[in-house]
Amino acid sequence: MQSEPWKTWTAREARRYIVLPSEDDHKYSRGVLGVITGSNEYPGAAVLTCEAAMRTGLGMIRYFGPNYPQDLVLRQRPEVVIEPGKVQAWLLGSGIDADRHGWLRYRAMKKAIRQGLPVVLDAGALSLVSLTTGPTLITPHYRELHRLLLSRDITVTATAIEGDPKKWAGIAAKEFGVAVLLKGNVTVVASNESQIQLSASSTWLATAGTGDVLAGILGALIATQSLEIEKNPDILPAIVATGALIHARAADLASAGGPITAMDVAHSIPKVIAELIA
């Protein structure tokens, strides 16, 4: 476990990890994100991850999923590409049930992981963490982290993790050798090199789909900085913390003190980024 104190992430740090497009950029140089999310049971996750990623700013999304969520994605975001091709990073698992993802989805996610590119593992892809070969982020909530740790014979309850998220995020980062974003009202990010906490987020974020929005933000930021991450994987936690900060601020902006939906949060992302880089 790290002995360094936990750093609270602020806008001052976050703006350093938002890449602005230059006049020489094009859709391929700005980052291409491969996305395997959503399912026939949870098709909205595909829509929300792609919506959030596009609104965070990147060159292209290549989406791979069943026909139904794919159709919904294209209706919402016709610029999403469904043809195979080169990507710079992967976002896997949001809206996919780990017990029901089927052999074809499992094989597709496994193939993506083994490319050695930066990857975000969410929800149904968390169980594949031991297969990763490149810079990796996992994004569990307390119950999901509980199941992951039990798979390594580490005995702990979800309640205990919720009571001390810093401790258990740090243990998970060490055990799996990846960056860990542990979701909660106070989000923490841990790796073997960094320990970062975010300020408490709006309690209105406790609604369906907001985790998918967060995953999309993270995937976009990682895709746009994939070359930097491959050169120096130690910057991954800072990029992840920046994504969590954008997510929390987008929720505050969308809420203005009242209820929100996940799509409300996604629609507020560009304004938050504009404020951060101003």
Side-chain angles (χ1 to χ4, degrees), residues 169-194:
I171 288 174
K174 183 177 181 181
E175 178 66 24
F176 295 103
V178 300
V180 178
L181 182 148
L182 182 54
K183 292 183 280 195
N185 181 244
V186 175
T187 296
V188 297
V189 179
S191 72
N192 286 333
E193 297 77 27
S194 302

mmCIF file of all heavy atoms in Angstrom, residues 169-194:
data_model
loop_
_atom_site.group_PDB
_atom_site.id
_atom_site.type_symbol
_atom_site.label_atom_id
_atom_site.label_comp_id
_atom_site.label_asym_id
_atom_site.label_seq_id
_atom_site.Cartn_x
_atom_site.Cartn_y
_atom_site.Cartn_z
ATOM 1 N N ALA A 169 -9.694 0.542 -2.452
ATOM 2 C CA ALA A 169 -9.256 0.884 -3.803
ATOM 3 C C ALA A 169 -7.754 0.676 -3.922
ATOM 4 O O ALA A 169 -7.260 0.167 -4.941
ATOM 5 C CB ALA A 169 -9.624 2.323 -4.141
ATOM 6 N N GLY A 170 -7.023 1.057 -2.874
ATOM 7 C CA GLY A 170 -5.578 0.851 -2.876
ATOM 8 C C GLY A 170 -5.207 -0.620 -2.894
ATOM 9 O O GLY A 170 -4.286 -1.039 -3.601
ATOM 10 N N ILE A 171 -5.919 -1.420 -2.126
ATOM 11 C CA ILE A 171 -5.659 -2.861 -2.113
ATOM 12 C C ILE A 171 -5.932 -3.464 -3.482
ATOM 13 O O ILE A 171 -5.163 -4.286 -4.000
ATOM 14 C CB ILE A 171 -6.519 -3.541 -1.028
ATOM 15 C CG1 ILE A 171 -5.977 -3.179 0.364
ATOM 16 C CG2 ILE A 171 -6.552 -5.059 -1.221
ATOM 17 C CD1 ILE A 171 -6.837 -3.669 1.507
ATOM 18 N N ALA A 172 -7.040 -3.056 -4.106
ATOM 19 C CA ALA A 172 -7.383 -3.582 -5.422
ATOM 20 C C ALA A 172 -6.347 -3.188 -6.472
ATOM 21 O O ALA A 172 -5.974 -3.995 -7.334
ATOM 22 C CB ALA A 172 -8.762 -3.087 -5.834
ATOM 23 N N ALA A 173 -5.872 -1.943 -6.417
ATOM 24 C CA ALA A 173 -4.868 -1.484 -7.378
ATOM 25 C C ALA A 173 -3.603 -2.320 -7.268
ATOM 26 O O ALA A 173 -3.002 -2.709 -8.280
ATOM 27 C CB ALA A 173 -4.558 -0.007 -7.147
ATOM 28 N N LYS A 174 -3.219 -2.617 -6.054
ATOM 29 C CA LYS A 174 -2.018 -3.430 -5.834
ATOM 30 C C LYS A 174 -2.244 -4.866 -6.257
ATOM 31 O O LYS A 174 -1.384 -5.493 -6.889
ATOM 32 C CB LYS A 174 -1.630 -3.371 -4.359
ATOM 33 C CG LYS A 174 -0.352 -4.138 -4.034
ATOM 34 C CD LYS A 174 0.013 -3.984 -2.571
ATOM 35 C CE LYS A 174 1.293 -4.735 -2.248
ATOM 36 N NZ LYS A 174 1.650 -4.605 -0.798
ATOM 37 N N GLU A 175 -3.402 -5.414 -5.934
ATOM 38 C CA GLU A 175 -3.693 -6.818 -6.229
ATOM 39 C C GLU A 175 -3.775 -7.087 -7.727
ATOM 40 O O GLU A 175 -3.247 -8.094 -8.227
ATOM 41 C CB GLU A 175 -5.013 -7.220 -5.566
ATOM 42 C CG GLU A 175 -5.453 -8.643 -5.835
ATOM 43 C CD GLU A 175 -4.535 -9.682 -5.218
ATOM 44 O OE1 GLU A 175 -3.842 -9.370 -4.229
ATOM 45 O OE2 GLU A 175 -4.515 -10.811 -5.742
ATOM 46 N N PHE A 176 -4.433 -6.185 -8.458
ATOM 47 C CA PHE A 176 -4.643 -6.417 -9.890
ATOM 48 C C PHE A 176 -3.629 -5.706 -10.772
ATOM 49 O O PHE A 176 -3.582 -5.958 -11.976
ATOM 50 C CB PHE A 176 -6.064 -5.988 -10.274
ATOM 51 C CG PHE A 176 -7.138 -6.812 -9.626
ATOM 52 C CD1 PHE A 176 -7.854 -6.318 -8.546
ATOM 53 C CD2 PHE A 176 -7.416 -8.094 -10.073
ATOM 54 C CE1 PHE A 176 -8.851 -7.066 -7.939
ATOM 55 C CE2 PHE A 176 -8.409 -8.859 -9.474
ATOM 56 C CZ PHE A 176 -9.122 -8.353 -8.399
ATOM 57 N N GLY A 177 -2.856 -4.783 -10.212
ATOM 58 C CA GLY A 177 -1.848 -4.071 -10.992
ATOM 59 C C GLY A 177 -2.433 -3.130 -12.022
ATOM 60 O O GLY A 177 -1.864 -2.938 -13.110
ATOM 61 N N VAL A 178 -3.582 -2.523 -11.694
ATOM 62 C CA VAL A 178 -4.259 -1.604 -12.610
ATOM 63 C C VAL A 178 -4.665 -0.351 -11.852
ATOM 64 O O VAL A 178 -4.587 -0.295 -10.626
ATOM 65 C CB VAL A 178 -5.513 -2.265 -13.224
ATOM 66 C CG1 VAL A 178 -5.133 -3.514 -14.001
ATOM 67 C CG2 VAL A 178 -6.552 -2.590 -12.147
ATOM 68 N N ALA A 179 -5.126 0.655 -12.603
ATOM 69 C CA ALA A 179 -5.733 1.825 -11.974
ATOM 70 C C ALA A 179 -7.173 1.477 -11.615
ATOM 71 O O ALA A 179 -7.863 0.783 -12.364
ATOM 72 C CB ALA A 179 -5.692 3.025 -12.908
ATOM 73 N N VAL A 180 -7.626 1.957 -10.463
ATOM 74 C CA VAL A 180 -8.965 1.657 -9.964
ATOM 75 C C VAL A 180 -9.704 2.959 -9.704
ATOM 76 O O VAL A 180 -9.213 3.817 -8.957
ATOM 77 C CB VAL A 180 -8.904 0.838 -8.652
ATOM 78 C CG1 VAL A 180 -10.310 0.578 -8.120
ATOM 79 C CG2 VAL A 180 -8.159 -0.464 -8.862
ATOM 80 N N LEU A 181 -10.865 3.113 -10.341
ATOM 81 C CA LEU A 181 -11.784 4.187 -9.982
ATOM 82 C C LEU A 181 -12.930 3.528 -9.228
ATOM 83 O O LEU A 181 -13.697 2.768 -9.810
ATOM 84 C CB LEU A 181 -12.298 4.930 -11.209
ATOM 85 C CG LEU A 181 -13.241 6.118 -10.911
ATOM 86 C CD1 LEU A 181 -13.089 7.210 -11.967
ATOM 87 C CD2 LEU A 181 -14.703 5.680 -10.854
ATOM 88 N N LEU A 182 -13.005 3.789 -7.935
ATOM 89 C CA LEU A 182 -14.061 3.211 -7.102
ATOM 90 C C LEU A 182 -15.183 4.231 -6.985
ATOM 91 O O LEU A 182 -15.009 5.307 -6.411
ATOM 92 C CB LEU A 182 -13.511 2.841 -5.723
ATOM 93 C CG LEU A 182 -14.490 2.175 -4.755
ATOM 94 C CD1 LEU A 182 -15.152 0.958 -5.364
ATOM 95 C CD2 LEU A 182 -13.763 1.796 -3.459
ATOM 96 N N LYS A 183 -16.329 3.879 -7.566
ATOM 97 C CA LYS A 183 -17.444 4.822 -7.660
ATOM 98 C C LYS A 183 -18.196 4.926 -6.338
ATOM 99 O O LYS A 183 -18.369 3.951 -5.625
ATOM 100 C CB LYS A 183 -18.392 4.386 -8.773
ATOM 101 C CG LYS A 183 -17.794 4.500 -10.152
ATOM 102 C CD LYS A 183 -18.765 4.130 -11.250
ATOM 103 C CE LYS A 183 -18.893 2.648 -11.447
ATOM 104 N NZ LYS A 183 -19.546 2.288 -12.728
ATOM 105 N N GLY A 184 -18.648 6.128 -6.056
ATOM 106 C CA GLY A 184 -19.442 6.406 -4.876
ATOM 107 C C GLY A 184 -19.701 7.901 -4.808
ATOM 108 O O GLY A 184 -19.290 8.652 -5.704
ATOM 109 N N ASN A 185 -20.376 8.344 -3.762
ATOM 110 C CA ASN A 185 -20.598 9.774 -3.612
ATOM 111 C C ASN A 185 -19.274 10.531 -3.568
ATOM 112 O O ASN A 185 -19.147 11.617 -4.127
ATOM 113 C CB ASN A 185 -21.423 10.064 -2.358
ATOM 114 C CG ASN A 185 -21.697 11.542 -2.162
ATOM 115 O OD1 ASN A 185 -21.241 12.139 -1.194
ATOM 116 N ND2 ASN A 185 -22.425 12.141 -3.094
ATOM 117 N N VAL A 186 -18.274 9.920 -2.922
ATOM 118 C CA VAL A 186 -16.899 10.416 -2.990
ATOM 119 C C VAL A 186 -16.110 9.387 -3.800
ATOM 120 O O VAL A 186 -15.888 8.270 -3.346
ATOM 121 C CB VAL A 186 -16.282 10.604 -1.597
ATOM 122 C CG1 VAL A 186 -14.821 11.010 -1.719
ATOM 123 C CG2 VAL A 186 -17.063 11.653 -0.809
ATOM 124 N N THR A 187 -15.726 9.757 -5.007
ATOM 125 C CA THR A 187 -14.999 8.856 -5.894
ATOM 126 C C THR A 187 -13.517 8.905 -5.570
ATOM 127 O O THR A 187 -12.960 9.978 -5.323
ATOM 128 C CB THR A 187 -15.236 9.259 -7.357
ATOM 129 O OG1 THR A 187 -16.619 9.091 -7.656
ATOM 130 C CG2 THR A 187 -14.416 8.413 -8.309
ATOM 131 N N VAL A 188 -12.872 7.741 -5.584
ATOM 132 C CA VAL A 188 -11.429 7.686 -5.359
ATOM 133 C C VAL A 188 -10.777 6.954 -6.529
ATOM 134 O O VAL A 188 -11.375 6.073 -7.147
ATOM 135 C CB VAL A 188 -11.078 6.986 -4.022
ATOM 136 C CG1 VAL A 188 -11.641 7.766 -2.852
ATOM 137 C CG2 VAL A 188 -11.587 5.555 -3.989
ATOM 138 N N VAL A 189 -9.549 7.357 -6.828
ATOM 139 C CA VAL A 189 -8.767 6.759 -7.905
ATOM 140 C C VAL A 189 -7.442 6.317 -7.312
ATOM 141 O O VAL A 189 -6.737 7.119 -6.687
ATOM 142 C CB VAL A 189 -8.518 7.764 -9.047
ATOM 143 C CG1 VAL A 189 -7.689 7.118 -10.155
ATOM 144 C CG2 VAL A 189 -9.840 8.291 -9.602
ATOM 145 N N ALA A 190 -7.104 5.050 -7.504
ATOM 146 C CA ALA A 190 -5.871 4.523 -6.928
ATOM 147 C C ALA A 190 -5.112 3.713 -7.967
ATOM 148 O O ALA A 190 -5.696 3.053 -8.824
ATOM 149 C CB ALA A 190 -6.185 3.645 -5.714
ATOM 150 N N SER A 191 -3.789 3.791 -7.866
ATOM 151 C CA SER A 191 -2.904 2.924 -8.636
ATOM 152 C C SER A 191 -1.683 2.676 -7.760
ATOM 153 O O SER A 191 -1.610 3.153 -6.622
ATOM 154 C CB SER A 191 -2.491 3.587 -9.955
ATOM 155 O OG SER A 191 -1.584 4.651 -9.724
ATOM 156 N N ASN A 192 -0.722 1.953 -8.281
ATOM 157 C CA ASN A 192 0.499 1.739 -7.510
ATOM 158 C C ASN A 192 1.330 3.005 -7.384
ATOM 159 O O ASN A 192 2.238 3.073 -6.558
ATOM 160 C CB ASN A 192 1.339 0.627 -8.152
ATOM 161 C CG ASN A 192 0.746 -0.744 -7.917
ATOM 162 O OD1 ASN A 192 0.045 -0.970 -6.928
ATOM 163 N ND2 ASN A 192 1.022 -1.673 -8.824
ATOM 164 N N GLU A 193 1.019 4.028 -8.199
ATOM 165 C CA GLU A 193 1.795 5.260 -8.189
ATOM 166 C C GLU A 193 1.034 6.455 -7.620
ATOM 167 O O GLU A 193 1.664 7.427 -7.191
ATOM 168 C CB GLU A 193 2.243 5.618 -9.614
ATOM 169 C CG GLU A 193 3.171 4.613 -10.273
ATOM 170 C CD GLU A 193 2.443 3.375 -10.781
ATOM 171 O OE1 GLU A 193 1.240 3.495 -11.095
ATOM 172 O OE2 GLU A 193 3.070 2.318 -10.837
ATOM 173 N N SER A 194 -0.292 6.411 -7.634
ATOM 174 C CA SER A 194 -1.079 7.595 -7.295
ATOM 175 C C SER A 194 -2.265 7.239 -6.421
ATOM 176 O O SER A 194 -2.817 6.140 -6.504
ATOM 177 C CB SER A 194 -1.593 8.278 -8.569
ATOM 178 O OG SER A 194 -0.541 8.647 -9.420
#
